[in-house]
């Protein structure tokens, strides 16, 4: 994995993992679309498989969903990180735009690609498991505890990314995969921590779904968590200026 270099940031290349200047915006958008689609196929598909095989044991179903998602993230970030930065997450893209490490026009295109990929991934999962293609989730995830959980989950994810990019860039994919694996279990919301994932999961009335009426709370909490992490890390990892 390449180290992150100043020229990459100057060119508007996205990270957490260094994106190569050899890839133009169209290829980076393709990587974001494909990576996010595969991520949602993993999340929804493993949820369906886990629920079908668990025999009503929700803990076992969640464990299968967790392991598949964490492992999948490691692979997807390793594969697509050098091309697009492997954001797969509008909250991450927003933070890097605020840090001026990706231009706002490119950031908007990234978010559109992530949303399109997320919906495509849900449809792919439905097709693989012979589920109805068009669904609306009825799984309510409401209340202050759920909202706070999403703020904490997203704060932790963005902090982990920014800290690792700054201090241990060679470990980004492992850190993100492991963090999400743990956050599935230590948060009441099972750590969506991603607006594109949240919106797409409202289109699946399966184990990993979320009812549309629960989505606004999650989006607001995720945005708050991401912004808080960006503010903290902007201070925490700023080195003292040298005379």
């Amino acid at each position: 994995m390449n180290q992150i270099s100043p020229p990459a940031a100057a060119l508007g290349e996205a990270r957490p993992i260094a994106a190569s200047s050899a890839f133009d915006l169209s290829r980076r958008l393709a990587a974001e679309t494909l990576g996010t689609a595969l991520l949602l196929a993993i999340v929804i598909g493993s949820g369906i498989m886990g629920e079908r095989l668990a025999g009503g044991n929700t803990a076992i179903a969640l464990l299968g969903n967790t392991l598949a998602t964490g492992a999948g993230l490691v692979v997807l970030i390793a594969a697509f990180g050098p091309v697009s930065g492997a954001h797969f997450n509008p909250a991450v893209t927003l933070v890097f735009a605020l840090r001026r490490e990706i231009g706002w026009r490119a950031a908007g295109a990234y978010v559109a690609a992530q949303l399109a990929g997320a919906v495509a991934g849900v449809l792919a999962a439905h097709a693989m498991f012979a589920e109805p293609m068009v669904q609306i989730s009825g799984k309510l995830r409401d209340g202050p505890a759920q909202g706070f959980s999403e703020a904490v989950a997203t704060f932790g994810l963005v902090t982990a990314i920014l800290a690792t990019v700054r201090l241990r860039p060679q470990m980004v994919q492992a850190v993100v995969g492991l963090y999400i694996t743990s956050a599935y279990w230590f948060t009441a919301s099972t750590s969506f921590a991603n607006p594109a994932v949240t919106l797409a999961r409202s289109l699946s009335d399966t184990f990993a779904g979320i009812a549309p009426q629960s989505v606004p709370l999650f989006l607001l909490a995720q945005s708050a968590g991401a912004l808080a992490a960006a503010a903290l890390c902007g201070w925490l990892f700023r080195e003292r200026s040298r005379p």
Side-chain angles (χ1 to χ4, degrees), residues 7 11 33 54 65 74 81 95 98 102 117 132 144 157 168-170 212 229 236 242:
L11 289 169
T33 304
N65 196 203
V74 172
V95 167
L98 290 171
I102 179 174
L157 174 63
R168 296 287 188 273
Q170 72 279 8
L236 186 61
R242 297 178 180 178

Side-chain angles (χ1 to χ4, degrees), residues 36-45 48 116-128 131-133 135 196-197 199-206:
T36 311
L38 289 171
L39 173 60
L40 266 296
I42 291 167
V43 171
I44 299 297
I48 295 170
V119 173
V122 170
L123 296 176
H126 289 170
M128 287 191 290
E131 289 276 335
M133 296 296 288
Q135 303 180 21
V197 166
L199 288 165
R201 285 171 68 166
S202 72
L203 303 177
S204 185
D205 194 22
T206 61

Side-chain angles (χ1 to χ4, degrees), residues 5-242:
S5 60
L11 289 169
E13 299 290 351
R15 44 180 177 140
I17 301 174
S20 171
S21 59
F23 300 100
D24 59 22
L25 181 59
S26 64
R27 289 175 173 81
R28 287 183 274 151
L29 294 177
E32 283 296 298
T33 304
L34 180 56
T36 311
L38 289 171
L39 173 60
L40 266 296
I42 291 167
V43 171
I44 299 297
S46 63
I48 295 170
M49 179 69 84
E51 188 171 46
R52 289 183 181 181
L53 297 179
N57 188 324
T58 304
I60 296 298
L62 181 61
L63 181 60
N65 196 203
T66 301
L67 294 176
T69 302
L73 273 169
V74 172
V75 173
L76 293 175
I77 295 171
F80 295 111
V83 180
S84 69
H87 294 189
F88 312 145
N89 186 336
V92 173
T93 300
L94 170 64
V95 167
F96 279 94
L98 290 171
R99 291 165 60 89
R100 300 181 181 179
E101 294 176 16
I102 179 174
W104 284 104
R105 179 178 295 181
Y110 263 51
V111 171
Q114 291 156 1
L115 291 170
V119 173
V122 170
L123 296 176
H126 289 170
M128 287 191 290
F129 287 92
E131 289 276 335
M133 296 296 288
V134 179
Q135 303 180 21
I136 299 296
S137 178
K139 192 168 188 176
L140 292 171
R141 299 175 185 264
D142 293 332
Q146 293 282 312
F148 182 62
S149 292
E150 276 303 290
V152 170
T154 311
F155 175 86
L157 174 63
V158 173
T159 299
I161 290 171
L162 295 179
T164 312
V165 164
R166 177 70 180 82
L167 304 172
R168 296 287 188 273
Q170 72 279 8
M171 294 181 64
V172 172
Q173 62 262 50
V175 166
V176 172
L178 289 171
Y179 175 80
I180 291 297
T181 298
S182 68
Y184 257 72
W185 287 85
F186 79 75
T187 64
S189 63
T190 66
S191 183
F192 286 45
N194 183 327
V197 166
T198 303
L199 288 165
R201 285 171 68 166
S202 72
L203 303 177
S204 185
D205 194 22
T206 61
F207 182 79
I210 177 174
Q213 54 265 50
S214 300
V215 167
L217 172 65
F218 273 49
L219 298 183
L220 180 62
Q222 290 158 1
S223 299
L227 292 173
L232 173 67
C233 292
W235 169 78
L236 186 61
F237 301 116
R238 185 185 300 120
E239 294 182 349
R240 293 177 62 183
S241 58
R242 297 178 180 178

